[in-house]
Amino acid sequence: METTDLLKKVRKIEIKTRGLSRNIFAGEYHSAFKGRGMAFSEVREYQFGDDIRNIDWNVTARYNHPYIKVFEEERELTVMLLIDVSGSREFGTFEKLKKNVITELSAVLSFSAIQNNDKIGVIFFSDKIEKFIPPKKGKSHILRIIRELIDFQPEDRGTDITEAIRYLTNAIKKRCTAFVISDFMDENAELEMALSIANNKHDVVALKIFDERETELPSIGMIKLKDAETGHYVWVDSSSRRTRNMYSDWWRKHTARLDVMFKKCGVDYVAIDTNEDYVKSLMTLFRKRALK
């Protein structure tokens, strides 16, 4: 992409997403994530009204009297974006491709983080780790991330979310809030274990991006479909009710498997349709977390 065109696109994304994060998301982001960065400070005797989830059972057993852990909010969080740059992100049938929604979402989260004095870093992944941008603060850092979001060209087109999750667990030592932004088409059997391990160490949030056309096949006769990640083509008779039903059934089961997996791993999760306003989906997620 020409430098001038890239800068224009960066500026356009910056204006839109910075405004959203300042005017809409600032307070919601703070209440949903800021309170999650808690550092253990000391213990004190239990008092009526204290949250029993904070009881320190080791100290309680030692003194035969209930004690609770006292936490203090850390001054800053580290936010990591794990961004799927595989071939399937280029799919879209309405106004936006999945990759356009991923770009805007990532930019909004980046500006929300920086406005709350948090560090922000990025892991771009396909079926391997394509690029790691260490967490930092500052507007110039955010603009670098946006440039990469718009112009990044991955070496591979496959997907391995499990590898990205494991990389997060090993690379980021301090507890962070990690947003995994993907269409989650990858069905690696080891993903659930990797997510569980990562969410025990970090605070993992899953943002699933999908296009409405992916949920069912239209009845338009013989169609030639291409796998964006492998490059393979296949002819499908979409006029066949059996074929359409098989595909719809696969999509429902795929979605149900993801729901179950995220719940088992304790990972907050929201599905975002490219044809809908992602602002509403993000706000719902933030408010749900704030109530926990």
Side-chain angles (χ1 to χ4, degrees), residues 125-129 158-166 186 188:
F125 69 92
S126 56
D127 54 6
K128 67 178 185 180
I129 303 304
T159 313
D160 190 342
I161 304 174
T162 303
E163 176 65 21
I165 298 292
R166 286 172 176 163
D186 175 29
N188 190 322

Side-chain angles (χ1 to χ4, degrees), residues 1-14 17 81 83 85 89 99 103-104 106-107 110-111 122 124 131 133 136 138-154:
M1 186 182 295
E2 293 289 335
T3 303
T4 304
D5 292 338
L6 176 59
L7 290 175
K8 286 180 180 177
K9 288 192 173 185
V10 169
R11 182 61 176 159
K12 185 177 179 181
I13 292 289
E14 179 197 358
T17 57
L81 305 179
I83 300 174
V85 292
R89 71 182 175 138
K99 70 177 182 180
T103 296
E104 289 191 16
S106 301
S110 296
F111 277 114
V122 182
F124 291 100
K131 188 164 193 172
I133 301 177
K136 285 177 61 179
K139 182 181 176 182
S140 62
H141 181 63
I142 299 296
L143 295 181
R144 178 197 172 190
I145 289 174
I146 295 175
R147 283 197 301 271
E148 293 284 2
L149 286 165
I150 294 171
D151 205 35
F152 186 78
Q153 298 298 320

Side-chain angles (χ1 to χ4, degrees), residues 210-247:
F210 74 99
D211 188 281
E212 189 177 308
R213 183 55 68 206
E214 292 175 312
T215 66
E216 61 182 12
L217 284 176
S219 180
I220 54 176
M222 292 297 292
I223 53 176
K224 189 178 184 181
L225 302 178
K226 178 184 179 181
D227 186 321
E229 299 190 2
T230 65
H232 294 157
Y233 288 92
V234 61
W235 283 96
V236 174
D237 182 7
S238 67
S239 63
S240 165
R241 182 182 297 273
R242 180 173 178 270
T243 298
R244 295 198 307 274
N245 288 343
M246 285 176 62
Y247 182 83

Side-chain angles (χ1 to χ4, degrees), residues 156-289:
D156 292 354
R157 297 181 65 80
T159 313
D160 190 342
I161 304 174
T162 303
E163 176 65 21
I165 298 292
R166 286 172 176 163
Y167 187 87
L168 167 76
T169 302
N170 295 327
I172 307 300
K173 304 305 180 186
K174 179 184 175 184
R175 180 174 173 82
C176 75
T177 296
F179 294 92
V180 185
I181 309 173
S182 171
D183 56 15
F184 286 92
M185 290 297 193
D186 175 29
E187 294 192 341
N188 190 322
E190 297 179 0
L191 177 57
E192 182 178 319
M193 178 64 73
L195 267 176
S196 292
I197 293 171
N199 200 44
N200 281 332
K201 180 178 180 182
H202 302 297
D203 179 16
V204 180
V205 181
L207 306 180
K208 178 192 173 186
I209 315 302
F210 74 99
D211 188 281
E212 189 177 308
R213 183 55 68 206
E214 292 175 312
T215 66
E216 61 182 12
L217 284 176
S219 180
I220 54 176
M222 292 297 292
I223 53 176
K224 189 178 184 181
L225 302 178
K226 178 184 179 181
D227 186 321
E229 299 190 2
T230 65
H232 294 157
Y233 288 92
V234 61
W235 283 96
V236 174
D237 182 7
S238 67
S239 63
S240 165
R241 182 182 297 273
R242 180 173 178 270
T243 298
R244 295 198 307 274
N245 288 343
M246 285 176 62
Y247 182 83
S248 297
D249 187 52
W250 171 83
W251 178 264
R252 284 193 297 271
K253 288 179 179 177
H254 169 71
T255 302
R257 279 195 297 270
L258 287 177
D259 289 342
V260 170
M261 179 183 69
F262 290 131
K263 285 176 183 175
K264 284 178 66 176
C265 297
V267 170
D268 287 324
Y269 155 62
V270 66
I272 298 173
D273 187 343
T274 59
N275 193 39
E276 296 178 350
D277 186 359
Y278 60 80
V279 169
K280 183 178 179 181
S281 297
L282 273 187
M283 293 289 280
T284 299
L285 173 68
F286 287 3
R287 286 167 181 166
K288 175 185 172 184
R289 287 176 58 92

